[in-house]
Each structure stands twice: as structure tokens, then as C-alpha cells.
Amino acid sequence: MTRPRKQIILGAYLGGVNHQTVWSDPAAGSQIDFASFRHAAQTAERGKFDFFFLAEGLALRERQGQIFDQDVLGRPDTLTVLAGLAEVTEHLGLVGTLNATFNEPYELARQLATLDHLSGGRTGWNIVTSSDAFTGQNFRRGGFLAREERYTRAEEFLSLARQLWDSWAEDDIVADKESGRFLRRGDAGAFAFQGRQFDVSGRFTVPRSPQGQPVILQAGVSAEGREFAAGGGPDAIFSPYHTLAEAQPFYRDIQERSARHGKPDGSVKVLPGAAFVLGDTEAEAVERHREIARTQISGRGAQILLETVWNRDLSGYDPDGPLPDVDPDPEGAPVIQGRARIHQNPFDTVARWRAVAADNKYSLRQLAIHVFGHVEFVGTPAQVAERLDSFVQNDGSDGFILGSHLTPTGLDEFVDKVVPLLQERGALRTEYDGSTLRDNLRIPAPVERQAAVV
Ligand SMILES: Cc1cc2nc3c(=O)[nH]c(=O)nc-3n(C[C@H](O)[C@H](O)[C@H](O)COP(=O)(O)O)c2cc1C
């Protein structure tokens, strides 16, 4: 039996956090002005994307005590930006990356439920669990959470948030002038939660929101992160695997883990971050990509990118020479502070990189460009449309969170040139047919649990 064709889920990622050189192109605009966010979000909506996506950084990163000069200075607050975008978009989902380590569940659940009301049911929350003590210094709980406990806290955080969102039933608010009653139930909003991380009770202030519960994504790919995504609550996982060779085993692993938790196939969506470079011919696209990578990753930039894995000062190594001949030093004092750890084992990573550099005769800088400047989808619009579609149909993912090197106008040419081809292929909607983010993603609303107090 042939399987029905999968529709591609598309999120639009606006560079800012983890972006080496947001201003390297003369055409680049501000990453802070509301006009930039508006332009990118409205472009995504014009392209019938499922959602707009913001990453999060809660600390200004440092390299050896100085502001990390590759970092982008200034990180506006995610929820405030998304609330502004709710007003200038109509169908687009609004997904914010928000940390489960440093935030408080009551406060965050309240903000997310509020955004769901303001946007008419378009809110998504990408849960991240970064728990480094350097970032924690900015918070009351600075450094209090052992790394091994990040998912225990995230799980408790999410189940408490869900209890809060469920603490109001849909029909709890009534305006019965005759009886003078406005609440159907005296216990509307009541909640109580006891766990290792949280011991809270009271009443939630926000009535049930249009989606009941925002859509939940999570970003984190360790074994614990995968278990959390497959077995816990998340509806989708944001992954870093954008080549088919890495993406297919990850996709399979998430499906197998979900099945062990009794979930039907495909119920946890997998969405890698990915980028594209277009050209009128394939050769032009390849050359354009080479130029972008060269501009983005200078010799100095390459040293710094490799330092994120080596955890050593590599400024003495010639960018045009071989890879550093020393091992990484993960136990040493952090050279770079506040950067999310995605490379699981630096020794394995370095061993893999040495093999790639040897096979291709890469210098330090060429290796950094190969690893950090990699763009999977480079070609003519027709080639890119075909490759995105076949990546999804071959179970590399269920879609992509797409970014571009240019803020805020990088998505324009994708929407103008690639989106119509995806639509022609039947891989992307031509009109929105629902009003909420759950409708866009075809993720059913959770069954309402009537104010269950545990
Ligand atoms: C694709 C991806 C994107 C991430 N984006 C963010 C982010 O925007 N902000 C953040 O604080 N952490 C981010 N993280 C870090 C994770 O939340 C987490 O701290 C880290 O990856 C450790 O989780 P893990 O060990 O399960 O991978 C991201 C991780 C991945 C894999």
C-alpha cells in the first residue's frame, strides 16, 4: 500500500541568536527593529508557512571574559516580539523558544496562554533546557540545576504548565445576569502540584485559551532529550540534523521511541533547522553559497567556532594551516561562556572532523566552513523544491525550520520562487484552511481535562 504523501511543515527562523555574522551582507538590516520581525513574519505568511520561530539566548556570551565578538549584541524578549507579530499576521503560528530551567511555570504558562488569546490560537512553545551556570548568573536560580536534572525539571515544568492551562474549562465563564453568577464552577483555575522541582498551588488567572494548550516543540537531542520528546508532551522536536544521512536515523529513532510510549507513527513531528541558497543555475547557486560561507566564516571566526568544541584558546593556530594538534579540553575553564552545548562528545566530534579534514585536505578554516557553513539546499528553485520534498518523503523529517543568511529579507526569494513550486507539487498548502497553529500542523487539540487537581 502506498503511503499518503506528507505535506511539508515549514517554520521561518529569523537569525539573531547563534548567527555568526548577521550584518556581513551589505543588504542586511537590523535584527532588533520591529520592522525586521514584521517583514520576516509577513513574508512567511505570504508563503503559507506554518509558523514563525524565534530562538532564545538569555545571556550575552563571552570569550575569555570579553563579549563574544561573533555574537549578536542585543536579544529582544521573545514573547514581547511575538505579541507584536500577532497583531500584524493572521494565520501564521508564533513559536517562541523559552527556557524551562530559569523560568517559573506559573509565569510562563500565563504568558503563553495570554499570547494564545491575543493571537487567536497561534502559540507554540519550543522548550529548551540550557542549564549552564554562566547563564544562570542572570537569574535568581543561577547555577542551581545539575545538568543531569535539566529534563526532570522540564518534565515537571511542562506537566505543571499543562495543569494550569487545563485548570479552566471552556465553558467556565458565563454571564448570567439573573443569578449574578459569572463563573460556572467555584474551582475554576484551581491547581496544585508537588514534585522535586516545584511545590505550588493556587488559582490560575487566565481562562482557557483558544488552543487549550499551545503546541509544544523541544530542542535537545541527547538520549534524555529524545525520551522527553517521544514520551513526554512535545508535539515536535527541533533537530540539528539537516543532511539526510544524519536525519533518517534520528527520525527513525524518534518514531521507535514514540511507538514504545504507545504513540502512533508520526505523532511527534521532526523539524530540522535548515538553510538554502538559490541561483538561476546550479553553478551560480554553488558559487553564491561559497561566497556567503567565505564572508561569514573568516579565519578568526573559524578559530572561534572550533573553540566552541575544543574549549581551548586556538588563536595561535594558523587558519590556513592544519587542525590543532591538541585534544579538546572539556574539563578546562570554559573559553566561551553561554553558548548552548549541542556537540555531545567533543572527542568524538574532533575525531570525526580530523577524518573529514584528512580526506579533503582541509585547512582549519576550510573545515570550519564545511561544518558550520554547511547549507543542505543549494541549487535552482526547482532543485531546492525537489530536494526539500524528497527529504520529507524519504523520512528525513516532517518539514523544516528554515533560515537564511540575510536578515530580514532572506526569505523573500524563497517565497517568490520556491513556494509556488512546492505548491505545484502538492507539498505545501495554497491557502490556510484553519485558524490555529494546531490546525496548520494538523495536531489535534488535547482532550480537555476538567480542572483536575492532583
Ligand atoms: C536544534 C537546537 C536548537 C537549540 N536552540 C536553543 C536556543 O535557542 N536557546 C537555548 O537556550 N538553547 C537551545 N538549544 C540547546 C538545548 O536546549 C539544550 O540546552 C542542549 O542542547 C542540551 O540538551 P541535549 O543535551 O538534550 O541536547 C538548542 C538545541 C538544539 C539541538
Side-chain angles (χ1 to χ4, degrees):
M1 205 177 75
T2 49
R3 197 180 62 169
R5 182 185 176 71
K6 288 197 274 179
Q7 287 271 303
I8 300 181
I9 295 172
L10 283 183
Y13 175 101
L14 185 70
V17 176
N18 280 332
H19 210 269
Q20 334 304 348
T21 48
V22 79
W23 299 303
S24 66
D25 191 312
S30 165
Q31 90 292 359
I32 303 173
D33 284 355
F34 185 66
S36 291
F37 293 107
R38 184 175 53 213
H39 179 87
Q42 289 181 336
T43 305
E45 187 161 76
R46 185 160 67 77
K48 306 293 184 280
F49 275 49
D50 293 274
F51 59 88
F52 181 77
F53 179 94
L54 288 176
E56 179 187 66
L58 290 174
L60 208 49
R61 290 173 261 196
E62 290 181 6
R63 181 183 177 280
Q64 296 188 325
Q66 303 288 317
I67 291 175
F68 189 35
D69 60 4
Q70 290 218 320
D71 205 352
V72 171
L73 304 187
R75 294 155 181 267
D77 174 67
T78 298
L79 282 166
T80 315
V81 172
L82 294 181
L85 292 178
E87 183 59 22
V88 297
T89 53
E90 205 179 329
H91 300 284
L92 192 67
L94 303 167
V95 179
T97 300
L98 297 154
N99 188 294
T101 301
F102 303 116
N103 284 303
E104 284 295 324
Y106 186 94
E107 190 179 18
L108 195 58
R110 189 165 176 265
Q111 291 164 330
L112 287 162
T114 303
L115 181 63
D116 210 46
H117 279 288
L118 291 184
S119 63
R122 295 187 281 134
T123 304
W125 171 23
N126 178 37
I127 302 181
V128 289
T129 56
S130 309
S131 56
D132 60 291
F134 173 78
T135 302
Q137 285 170 10
N138 286 343
F139 296 88
R140 179 169 61 88
R141 291 179 177 278
F144 87 113
L145 192 71
R147 193 175 144 75
E148 323 64 89
E149 287 196 69
R150 66 201 187 287
Y151 283 107
T152 314
R153 183 172 164 102
E155 266 166 39
E156 284 194 15
F157 198 120
L158 182 57
S159 48
L160 171 49
R162 289 199 148 136
Q163 193 191 129
L164 295 169
W165 292 324
D166 279 343
S167 66
W168 288 76
E170 196 135 3
D171 56 356
D172 268 348
I173 305 177
V174 290
D176 185 349
K177 288 187 185 141
E178 235 167 71
S179 67
R181 281 180 61 82
F182 293 94
L183 277 184
R184 185 176 67 87
R185 288 182 306 131
D187 64 347
F191 72 93
F193 186 97
Q194 243 184 346
R196 283 178 48 172
Q197 292 287 329
F198 308 105
D199 182 359
V200 284
S201 60
R203 282 176 188 277
F204 192 50
T205 54
V206 190
R208 194 169 184 83
S209 76
Q211 290 189 112
Q213 296 181 7
V215 172
I216 306 294
L217 282 74
Q218 86 98 5
V221 288
S222 60
E224 304 99 296
R226 294 173 189 217
E227 258 324 276
F228 175 57
D235 302 298
I237 182 160
F238 175 29
S239 97
Y241 304 122
H242 48 210
T243 65
L244 202 55
E246 293 172 308
Q248 281 176 326
F250 180 73
Y251 189 88
R252 256 196 318 278
D253 184 49
I254 294 296
Q255 306 313 323
E256 281 164 15
R257 285 175 192 267
S258 307
R260 282 203 289 279
H261 289 281
K263 291 187 184 171
D265 223 23
S267 52
V268 179
K269 311 289 182 206
V270 178
L271 304 172
F276 61 90
V277 175
L278 300 176
D280 288 339
T281 62
E282 184 169 20
E284 190 186 306
V286 169
E287 182 46 38
R288 198 172 162 211
H289 171 227
R290 200 172 291 140
E291 193 48 44
I292 291 168
R294 263 201 302 265
T295 317
Q296 289 202 317
I297 302 178
S298 62
R300 179 79 193 105
Q303 292 165 337
I304 292 176
L305 285 169
L306 296 200
E307 285 177 355
T308 62
V309 172
W310 251 272
N311 195 38
R312 288 180 184 276
D313 180 347
L314 301 181
S315 56
Y317 290 86
D318 179 2
D320 297 319
L323 295 191
D325 50 6
V326 286
D327 279 337
D329 182 21
E331 303 306 324
V335 172
I336 291 171
Q337 300 253 47
R339 200 179 154 96
R341 276 180 25 184
I342 296 180
H343 300 280
Q344 296 295 323
N345 181 329
F347 293 98
D348 292 350
T349 305
V350 166
R352 224 174 31 249
W353 289 356
R354 286 196 196 288
V356 172
D359 285 352
N360 296 284
K361 303 201 175 15
Y362 280 160
S363 66
L364 185 161
R365 181 176 175 209
Q366 285 169 323
L367 189 271
I369 288 175
H370 174 86
V371 173
F372 293 94
H374 177 84
V375 173
E376 183 63 14
F377 302 101
V378 178
T380 64
Q383 287 172 324
V384 168
E386 198 279 321
R387 286 178 202 158
L388 289 168
D389 194 18
S390 72
F391 195 101
V392 169
Q393 305 312 329
N394 286 304
D395 285 347
S397 72
D398 296 297
F400 304 92
I401 300 187
L402 273 189
S404 118
H405 78 287
L406 187 58
T407 298
T409 52
L411 203 59
D412 296 36
E413 60 174 345
F414 184 90
V415 168
D416 292 334
K417 296 177 181 166
V418 182
V419 162
L421 301 176
L422 290 174
Q423 290 169 329
E424 263 172 37
R425 302 173 74 89
L428 186 67
R429 67 177 65 76
T430 50
E431 290 303 332
Y432 290 101
D433 54 8
S435 57
T436 66
L437 176 56
R438 284 183 183 280
D439 293 339
N440 290 352
L441 299 173
R442 304 196 193 289
I443 294 174
V447 179
E448 191 174 320
R449 281 161 289 173
Q450 304 266 329
V453 174
V454 291

